[in-house]
Amino acid sequence: MRNLKILIAILGFTFFSVQSTFAQTENNRVEEKVFKTTTSDVPQKVKETLKKYSGYKISKAATFIKKSNISVYRFTIQDGNWTYDLLIDEKGKVKGIDMGEGSGS
């Protein structure tokens, strides 16, 4: 009876140890392809949104990725010494501003 309890304890410990190692794998990661474009080649709704940032220096080069049948454009804008990445979807909605880790100085 004592051997049975030891065997059950060892099997239980092994089961939970193996289960946690499988939980740490990342097989469902989807890679996104980045496409290059320019600010003059983006859709009209995106250009209209960019006009709201006319006080900033906007780079002519831009990139976009396709997420769930919607393209998200990334523009680099500069305000003085600070550089940001502006994310705009193809419908003209601002998705976010990525400030990065440092300034542009």
Side-chain angles (χ1 to χ4, degrees):
M1 187 64 157
R2 186 164 195 257
N3 290 339
L4 182 62
K5 289 181 182 180
I6 293 173
L7 182 63
I8 291 173
I10 291 173
L11 289 175
F13 178 74
T14 305
F15 174 74
F16 288 116
S17 298
V18 171
Q19 183 181 13
S20 66
T21 58
F22 286 119
Q24 295 176 3
T25 59
E26 295 182 25
N27 293 335
N28 58 354
R29 190 172 215 170
V30 177
E31 290 194 27
E32 299 169 340
K33 187 169 182 178
V34 178
F35 300 95
K36 292 182 181 181
T37 187
T38 61
T39 53
S40 60
D41 293 336
V42 298
Q44 187 61 34
K45 290 183 179 180
V46 177
K47 289 179 185 179
E48 291 172 5
T49 304
L50 281 176
K51 288 180 185 176
K52 296 177 184 176
Y53 294 90
S54 62
Y56 295 89
K57 181 182 176 185
I58 302 171
S59 70
K60 296 189 187 306
T63 59
F64 70 95
I65 57 172
K66 292 186 179 185
K67 287 186 174 182
S68 303
N69 299 329
I70 292 184
S71 298
V72 178
Y73 293 86
R74 179 181 292 262
F75 302 94
T76 301
I77 60 174
Q78 188 173 3
D79 181 27
N81 289 335
W82 300 96
T83 303
Y84 309 105
D85 285 340
L86 181 65
L87 303 170
I88 304 173
D89 69 2
E90 64 188 11
K91 296 177 182 177
K93 183 177 179 184
V94 176
K95 290 296 194 177
I97 298 175
D98 184 14
M99 295 184 184
E101 293 184 357
S103 68
S105 57

